[in-house]
Amino acid sequence: MSEYIMQLRYCPQGYASRTIPKRPNAAVLEIDDSNIDGGSIAVTWSEVGGELDYYAVSCSDGGTANPAKVQEGETLAAKCEGYSTAGSAQNITVVTVSGTTNSSEVIETINTRPNAAVLEIDDSNIDGSSIAVTWSEVVGDLDYYAVSCSDGGTADLAIVPKNGTLAAKCEGYSTPGSAQTITVVTVSGTSNSTDAEITINTRPNAAVLEIDDSNIDGGSIAVTWSEVDGELDYYAVSCSDGGTANPAKVQEGGTLAAKCEGYSTAGSAQTITVVTVSGTTNSSDAVMSINTRPNAAVLEIDDSNVDGTSIAVRWSEVDGDLDYYAVSCSDGGTANPAIVQEGGTLAAKCEGYITAGSAQIITVVTVSGTTNSSDAEMTINTRPNAAVLEIDDSNVDGTSIAGPNAAVLQIDDSNIDGGSIAVTWSEVDGDLDYYAVSCSDGGTANPAKVQEGGTLAAKCEGYNTAGSAQNITVVTVSGTTNSSDAVMIINTRPNAAVLEIDDSNVDGTSIAVRWSEVDGDLDYYAVSCSDGGTVNPAIVQEGGTLAAKCEGYSTAGSAQTITVVTVSGTTNSSDAEMTINTRPNAAVLEIDDSNVDGTSIAVRWSEVDGDLDYYAVSCSVGGTANPAIVQEGGTLAAKCEGYSTPGSAQTITVVTVSGTSNSTDAEITINTKPVAPMIDGIATYNSTSIVVTWSMNDSTVFDRFEVICSAGSTGMTVQVNDSDARTTTLTGLVPGELYVIYMISYSGNQFSKQSNNVTQRTNPVAPVVDDITTYNSTSIYVSWTMDVNTTFDRFEIVYTEGSTKIKVQVNETQTRNAILTDLGPGELYVIYMLSYSEDQVSEQSNNVTQRTKPLPVQAVNEVEKSTTWIYIEWTAPNALDCVFDSFKILVEPSGDSESPIIVDDTSTSTYNVTGLTAGRLYNITVLVISDQEQSEAESLLTRSTPNDVSSVTVERSTASPNTSLDVSWTAATGDVDGYRVVCSSGMSGENDHEFNVTHPTTSQTLIT
């Protein structure tokens, strides 16, 4: 061991020397995380340089060192075990010991391992790009929870305060249905818990169902769908009551189709549900309501309603559910009625055919919800015309023939316009010279004569009214004879409607137009739709509402065509055609809180179903959209930037654009983040309250505040809903606890960053002094109780001595009593207590008063006495050393003399105790009195003087008259133990004799 010599000079005698060892080096500790658990902390260290014997290990309260001593050369590691609180901050101390000398203490504060959170899947916050969990507060101490995500995901809150909402999300994953991992670690000071980890699938995309009409029958419904984007395991299929899924599970890569079979009612509305399943997560339900196929009607010819222009049928009500019967006709016929409601008259006609006796078709379809029955179709001939016979007298002879044949005219639609009608014909059999053409009023024939062999066509031109019915007549002329008139009534071409988009009636499955009445004549407007659409109405009568829709398209935002043709008699206008997009689906906006700040708001959304071109983004006044256009397939997110007022409510609007149509506005109002408050004042109000004051930037908009305070594992959040408030009092706090306090301002649904952190401790609760007694002349015993719900680290006992306050520190928090020493004898003291928690002090406890015992008298002595009194004296305490106000004299046995005797004159030191009984033994005690306190006793044990005997008689003994005397006497009054008889010859006492006689004997024979 290295040694140094320290010399202590003491002049002038010389030198004194002492050998002092050199202090060994202190260990450099490192946290040994592998050996830390919920009840232990651990360190390792490297060998220190220099000489040493061992390392001494000690622990903070509650821990046991293992080992308590590490010998040089052993494994340099140690633990403190047995702590009861996971996550608690504990100290381990290592001291290097070399002989009699220790190194400086090396103290490492380490937290025991906090408990890990137990995670639960938070399905309500899972979507195609996010997974989410919740958990309950763990037992023990902690600072916060750290959240991390598998690759591709970002934690919405990387740090979750221990008193915050115990939930977290991992956002931003690109693949719906993918398996992702979220990890939550409990952090307490230097230590982390084990990883709380859970693997969750992002929500897979839902299937988009289409009716599979080919597989629907009276007891089944069926759907097909396309493979959804993203990852999945299978599709789960379920049916409404009464149906059985076939199959119930469709594996990825299998045929994407399913049926619900076994329904008992044809035409009934049933539901099929397909859920995409990926690991732990299901998609939203893809639900489609479909009707089983209704039964077809069985038609019968209704001959009574068949005429030259009409055919008619009737039928009986079909079994099962249905909504109505749809009636349609072959070309040229109009259904009357077109719809036959269930329960109505089950009959219908097709009217308006122009050819008597022609074969026409009437079709009746049973409709139940989404599904039609097979066609019930019947071919019926209109009633043919009866011949009207006339005698052709001019041709009735045996040698005559009829005139030239009449032309058979055909409408020449290609040459008809708004002012013209036109016909063609074929060469007639027989001889002829030419064909003569004439027109109804207002028209001019072109040409008026068509020569045999010429182009067999003619027009009537110059009519003023489009769509008007006009006549063209062609007569075959052969010599002097004309054929019968070949007359054809034809309408000039009606004007086409000018269509406008009727945006108010455009939706995700429909397009719509309106138009104004066209000039000229017309019968009605015929409306038709591109494939997949159903016209409503198919016929718009002249004078009706000039509007129509094409309904039933399956793809929102798709480009579809509606065609309107003006019909006037025999002639249609050119097609009025318009391509319109069904209304695209609106985006469903979510606040993108990670991109909201004091000058910006932000949203994100998922790709909408259906067709679209792009998304248009606009902002409330003062904001600039970034970007203003989001292309399909781009990043579906946008911001409104540049707002000047933090915390202000701003609006961002996203419209889905597909061709001619915009979606409804997807609009959301978001507050920019307000500026955080600045806590600029904090003070303890009392043991359970802290007053917080703050200031706020005038340029920000806000509507409320939140004050968060925490202490250890407890805390509270206080809402301050008055935006004008700049101070609040936190109540219900734990006495003596140190609180960390910060604030957040809110504006609508947005909140600021945290304010500056401040710390403040509440005052501890004052002790209650519940017992105080005098211990002796210089000491007082004090005991107290303490509220178990307060935090404190020491007590202070304060007592007054005159005008001086004297404070006594009690640093052991478990102590509940103390003895005040070095007090003045006989002094009256006012005593109260305080408790401390760091620098915070409680209110005063209850005041108590107590007086010390005065000093006792010294040496009580007997000065003089008699048969009835004893005169005593004593030495009183010095008045400068003791406060007292009287003396108390106790006489025992009592009853003879007054007792106790109070002597108020403190200057006296003598007293004559009277009224005594002669010869009695007395214990006389003198006490010093200070108010109610009395000193230790000082006593004198003495006897009063006994009374003398009387009537002594001396006679010569009759038995031995020469040598004995008989003595007798009267007994003395008072207390007597015995008598002593002395016989003396009077000669120098040589012949004196003493005889002790026990009381009550009153005679004695003296042997002389």
PDB file of all heavy atoms in Angstrom, residues 590-610:
ATOM      1  N   GLU A 590     -59.871  12.757 -44.590  1.00  0.00           N
ATOM      2  CA  GLU A 590     -59.393  12.600 -43.217  1.00  0.00           C
ATOM      3  C   GLU A 590     -58.387  13.703 -42.946  1.00  0.00           C
ATOM      4  O   GLU A 590     -57.612  14.069 -43.825  1.00  0.00           O
ATOM      5  CB  GLU A 590     -58.704  11.246 -43.025  1.00  0.00           C
ATOM      6  CG  GLU A 590     -59.601  10.052 -43.165  1.00  0.00           C
ATOM      7  CD  GLU A 590     -58.836   8.747 -42.924  1.00  0.00           C
ATOM      8  OE1 GLU A 590     -57.626   8.836 -42.594  1.00  0.00           O
ATOM      9  OE2 GLU A 590     -59.429   7.675 -43.078  1.00  0.00           O
ATOM     10  N   ILE A 591     -58.426  14.208 -41.723  1.00  0.00           N
ATOM     11  CA  ILE A 591     -57.436  15.223 -41.348  1.00  0.00           C
ATOM     12  C   ILE A 591     -56.057  14.582 -41.317  1.00  0.00           C
ATOM     13  O   ILE A 591     -55.852  13.544 -40.692  1.00  0.00           O
ATOM     14  CB  ILE A 591     -57.781  15.835 -39.983  1.00  0.00           C
ATOM     15  CG1 ILE A 591     -59.133  16.549 -40.040  1.00  0.00           C
ATOM     16  CG2 ILE A 591     -56.680  16.808 -39.534  1.00  0.00           C
ATOM     17  CD1 ILE A 591     -59.615  17.047 -38.686  1.00  0.00           C
ATOM     18  N   ASP A 592     -55.115  15.194 -42.025  1.00  0.00           N
ATOM     19  CA  ASP A 592     -53.716  14.745 -42.011  1.00  0.00           C
ATOM     20  C   ASP A 592     -52.984  15.584 -40.978  1.00  0.00           C
ATOM     21  O   ASP A 592     -52.336  16.583 -41.307  1.00  0.00           O
ATOM     22  CB  ASP A 592     -53.118  14.919 -43.414  1.00  0.00           C
ATOM     23  CG  ASP A 592     -51.663  14.454 -43.471  1.00  0.00           C
ATOM     24  OD1 ASP A 592     -51.185  13.864 -42.479  1.00  0.00           O
ATOM     25  OD2 ASP A 592     -51.011  14.693 -44.499  1.00  0.00           O
ATOM     26  N   ASP A 593     -53.146  15.184 -39.719  1.00  0.00           N
ATOM     27  CA  ASP A 593     -52.688  16.028 -38.623  1.00  0.00           C
ATOM     28  C   ASP A 593     -51.183  16.271 -38.657  1.00  0.00           C
ATOM     29  O   ASP A 593     -50.708  17.297 -38.192  1.00  0.00           O
ATOM     30  CB  ASP A 593     -53.078  15.385 -37.285  1.00  0.00           C
ATOM     31  CG  ASP A 593     -53.003  16.365 -36.135  1.00  0.00           C
ATOM     32  OD1 ASP A 593     -53.821  17.291 -36.098  1.00  0.00           O
ATOM     33  OD2 ASP A 593     -52.112  16.220 -35.288  1.00  0.00           O
ATOM     34  N   SER A 594     -50.454  15.320 -39.243  1.00  0.00           N
ATOM     35  CA  SER A 594     -48.994  15.472 -39.273  1.00  0.00           C
ATOM     36  C   SER A 594     -48.569  16.655 -40.136  1.00  0.00           C
ATOM     37  O   SER A 594     -47.444  17.131 -40.026  1.00  0.00           O
ATOM     38  CB  SER A 594     -48.344  14.184 -39.791  1.00  0.00           C
ATOM     39  OG  SER A 594     -48.764  13.926 -41.120  1.00  0.00           O
ATOM     40  N   ASN A 595     -49.452  17.113 -41.026  1.00  0.00           N
ATOM     41  CA  ASN A 595     -49.114  18.237 -41.901  1.00  0.00           C
ATOM     42  C   ASN A 595     -49.890  19.500 -41.570  1.00  0.00           C
ATOM     43  O   ASN A 595     -49.893  20.455 -42.341  1.00  0.00           O
ATOM     44  CB  ASN A 595     -49.337  17.845 -43.369  1.00  0.00           C
ATOM     45  CG  ASN A 595     -48.199  16.994 -43.893  1.00  0.00           C
ATOM     46  OD1 ASN A 595     -47.029  17.352 -43.753  1.00  0.00           O
ATOM     47  ND2 ASN A 595     -48.538  15.834 -44.457  1.00  0.00           N
ATOM     48  N   VAL A 596     -50.600  19.482 -40.439  1.00  0.00           N
ATOM     49  CA  VAL A 596     -51.275  20.689 -39.977  1.00  0.00           C
ATOM     50  C   VAL A 596     -50.317  21.465 -39.085  1.00  0.00           C
ATOM     51  O   VAL A 596     -49.700  20.908 -38.183  1.00  0.00           O
ATOM     52  CB  VAL A 596     -52.568  20.333 -39.211  1.00  0.00           C
ATOM     53  CG1 VAL A 596     -53.218  21.592 -38.648  1.00  0.00           C
ATOM     54  CG2 VAL A 596     -53.544  19.607 -40.120  1.00  0.00           C
ATOM     55  N   ASP A 597     -50.171  22.748 -39.356  1.00  0.00           N
ATOM     56  CA  ASP A 597     -49.352  23.589 -38.484  1.00  0.00           C
ATOM     57  C   ASP A 597     -50.046  24.940 -38.341  1.00  0.00           C
ATOM     58  O   ASP A 597     -51.228  25.076 -38.668  1.00  0.00           O
ATOM     59  CB  ASP A 597     -47.916  23.723 -39.015  1.00  0.00           C
ATOM     60  CG  ASP A 597     -47.853  24.280 -40.433  1.00  0.00           C
ATOM     61  OD1 ASP A 597     -48.748  25.057 -40.819  1.00  0.00           O
ATOM     62  OD2 ASP A 597     -46.899  23.931 -41.173  1.00  0.00           O
ATOM     63  N   GLY A 598     -49.316  25.924 -37.878  1.00  0.00           N
ATOM     64  CA  GLY A 598     -49.925  27.217 -37.592  1.00  0.00           C
ATOM     65  C   GLY A 598     -50.392  27.980 -38.803  1.00  0.00           C
ATOM     66  O   GLY A 598     -51.222  28.900 -38.688  1.00  0.00           O
ATOM     67  N   THR A 599     -49.920  27.602 -40.002  1.00  0.00           N
ATOM     68  CA  THR A 599     -50.321  28.320 -41.215  1.00  0.00           C
ATOM     69  C   THR A 599     -50.944  27.404 -42.247  1.00  0.00           C
ATOM     70  O   THR A 599     -51.302  27.856 -43.337  1.00  0.00           O
ATOM     71  CB  THR A 599     -49.097  29.013 -41.850  1.00  0.00           C
ATOM     72  OG1 THR A 599     -48.119  28.016 -42.196  1.00  0.00           O
ATOM     73  CG2 THR A 599     -48.483  30.024 -40.890  1.00  0.00           C
ATOM     74  N   SER A 600     -51.089  26.136 -41.959  1.00  0.00           N
ATOM     75  CA  SER A 600     -51.544  25.176 -42.967  1.00  0.00           C
ATOM     76  C   SER A 600     -52.545  24.198 -42.355  1.00  0.00           C
ATOM     77  O   SER A 600     -52.483  23.887 -41.173  1.00  0.00           O
ATOM     78  CB  SER A 600     -50.365  24.364 -43.527  1.00  0.00           C
ATOM     79  OG  SER A 600     -49.369  25.204 -44.041  1.00  0.00           O
ATOM     80  N   ILE A 601     -53.466  23.720 -43.229  1.00  0.00           N
ATOM     81  CA  ILE A 601     -54.302  22.578 -42.894  1.00  0.00           C
ATOM     82  C   ILE A 601     -54.067  21.525 -43.964  1.00  0.00           C
ATOM     83  O   ILE A 601     -53.612  21.847 -45.075  1.00  0.00           O
ATOM     84  CB  ILE A 601     -55.794  22.945 -42.783  1.00  0.00           C
ATOM     85  CG1 ILE A 601     -56.331  23.491 -44.117  1.00  0.00           C
ATOM     86  CG2 ILE A 601     -56.005  23.948 -41.667  1.00  0.00           C
ATOM     87  CD1 ILE A 601     -57.834  23.749 -44.111  1.00  0.00           C
ATOM     88  N   ALA A 602     -54.365  20.268 -43.658  1.00  0.00           N
ATOM     89  CA  ALA A 602     -54.032  19.206 -44.606  1.00  0.00           C
ATOM     90  C   ALA A 602     -55.011  18.055 -44.451  1.00  0.00           C
ATOM     91  O   ALA A 602     -55.536  17.806 -43.371  1.00  0.00           O
ATOM     92  CB  ALA A 602     -52.600  18.709 -44.378  1.00  0.00           C
ATOM     93  N   VAL A 603     -55.249  17.377 -45.603  1.00  0.00           N
ATOM     94  CA  VAL A 603     -56.120  16.198 -45.605  1.00  0.00           C
ATOM     95  C   VAL A 603     -55.470  15.113 -46.439  1.00  0.00           C
ATOM     96  O   VAL A 603     -54.548  15.353 -47.223  1.00  0.00           O
ATOM     97  CB  VAL A 603     -57.518  16.510 -46.187  1.00  0.00           C
ATOM     98  CG1 VAL A 603     -58.283  17.453 -45.294  1.00  0.00           C
ATOM     99  CG2 VAL A 603     -57.418  17.051 -47.609  1.00  0.00           C
ATOM    100  N   ARG A 604     -55.988  13.914 -46.258  1.00  0.00           N
ATOM    101  CA  ARG A 604     -55.643  12.794 -47.111  1.00  0.00           C
ATOM    102  C   ARG A 604     -56.919  12.007 -47.369  1.00  0.00           C
ATOM    103  O   ARG A 604     -57.910  12.152 -46.646  1.00  0.00           O
ATOM    104  CB  ARG A 604     -54.578  11.902 -46.473  1.00  0.00           C
ATOM    105  CG  ARG A 604     -54.943  11.347 -45.119  1.00  0.00           C
ATOM    106  CD  ARG A 604     -53.883  10.410 -44.560  1.00  0.00           C
ATOM    107  NE  ARG A 604     -54.234   9.954 -43.227  1.00  0.00           N
ATOM    108  CZ  ARG A 604     -53.795  10.521 -42.115  1.00  0.00           C
ATOM    109  NH1 ARG A 604     -52.958  11.539 -42.184  1.00  0.00           N
ATOM    110  NH2 ARG A 604     -54.183  10.075 -40.932  1.00  0.00           N
ATOM    111  N   TRP A 605     -56.904  11.191 -48.408  1.00  0.00           N
ATOM    112  CA  TRP A 605     -58.089  10.385 -48.701  1.00  0.00           C
ATOM    113  C   TRP A 605     -57.669   9.144 -49.455  1.00  0.00           C
ATOM    114  O   TRP A 605     -56.533   9.036 -49.932  1.00  0.00           O
ATOM    115  CB  TRP A 605     -59.140  11.191 -49.478  1.00  0.00           C
ATOM    116  CG  TRP A 605     -58.696  11.684 -50.833  1.00  0.00           C
ATOM    117  CD1 TRP A 605     -58.895  11.087 -52.030  1.00  0.00           C
ATOM    118  CD2 TRP A 605     -57.959  12.903 -51.120  1.00  0.00           C
ATOM    119  NE1 TRP A 605     -58.348  11.832 -53.050  1.00  0.00           N
ATOM    120  CE2 TRP A 605     -57.765  12.967 -52.519  1.00  0.00           C
ATOM    121  CE3 TRP A 605     -57.448  13.934 -50.333  1.00  0.00           C
ATOM    122  CZ2 TRP A 605     -57.098  14.006 -53.145  1.00  0.00           C
ATOM    123  CZ3 TRP A 605     -56.788  14.976 -50.959  1.00  0.00           C
ATOM    124  CH2 TRP A 605     -56.609  15.017 -52.348  1.00  0.00           C
ATOM    125  N   SER A 606     -58.568   8.203 -49.553  1.00  0.00           N
ATOM    126  CA  SER A 606     -58.309   6.988 -50.310  1.00  0.00           C
ATOM    127  C   SER A 606     -58.923   7.128 -51.697  1.00  0.00           C
ATOM    128  O   SER A 606     -59.856   7.922 -51.916  1.00  0.00           O
ATOM    129  CB  SER A 606     -58.919   5.772 -49.600  1.00  0.00           C
ATOM    130  OG  SER A 606     -58.359   5.626 -48.316  1.00  0.00           O
ATOM    131  N   GLU A 607     -58.386   6.340 -52.666  1.00  0.00           N
ATOM    132  CA  GLU A 607     -58.907   6.383 -54.030  1.00  0.00           C
ATOM    133  C   GLU A 607     -60.390   6.019 -54.007  1.00  0.00           C
ATOM    134  O   GLU A 607     -60.794   5.069 -53.361  1.00  0.00           O
ATOM    135  CB  GLU A 607     -58.135   5.389 -54.903  1.00  0.00           C
ATOM    136  CG  GLU A 607     -58.405   5.540 -56.386  1.00  0.00           C
ATOM    137  CD  GLU A 607     -57.820   6.833 -56.971  1.00  0.00           C
ATOM    138  OE1 GLU A 607     -56.588   6.949 -57.036  1.00  0.00           O
ATOM    139  OE2 GLU A 607     -58.623   7.719 -57.344  1.00  0.00           O
ATOM    140  N   VAL A 608     -61.203   6.819 -54.706  1.00  0.00           N
ATOM    141  CA  VAL A 608     -62.634   6.540 -54.742  1.00  0.00           C
ATOM    142  C   VAL A 608     -62.914   5.454 -55.773  1.00  0.00           C
ATOM    143  O   VAL A 608     -62.147   5.250 -56.726  1.00  0.00           O
ATOM    144  CB  VAL A 608     -63.445   7.810 -55.067  1.00  0.00           C
ATOM    145  CG1 VAL A 608     -63.165   8.893 -54.051  1.00  0.00           C
ATOM    146  CG2 VAL A 608     -63.157   8.314 -56.472  1.00  0.00           C
ATOM    147  N   ASP A 609     -63.993   4.712 -55.577  1.00  0.00           N
ATOM    148  CA  ASP A 609     -64.412   3.724 -56.554  1.00  0.00           C
ATOM    149  C   ASP A 609     -64.947   4.426 -57.799  1.00  0.00           C
ATOM    150  O   ASP A 609     -65.516   5.521 -57.718  1.00  0.00           O
ATOM    151  CB  ASP A 609     -65.514   2.836 -55.962  1.00  0.00           C
ATOM    152  CG  ASP A 609     -64.994   1.989 -54.815  1.00  0.00           C
ATOM    153  OD1 ASP A 609     -63.795   1.676 -54.822  1.00  0.00           O
ATOM    154  OD2 ASP A 609     -65.793   1.662 -53.924  1.00  0.00           O
ATOM    155  N   GLY A 610     -64.791   3.773 -58.938  1.00  0.00           N
ATOM    156  CA  GLY A 610     -65.340   4.325 -60.165  1.00  0.00           C
ATOM    157  C   GLY A 610     -64.298   5.049 -60.998  1.00  0.00           C
ATOM    158  O   GLY A 610     -63.091   5.029 -60.719  1.00  0.00           O
TER     159      GLY A 610
END
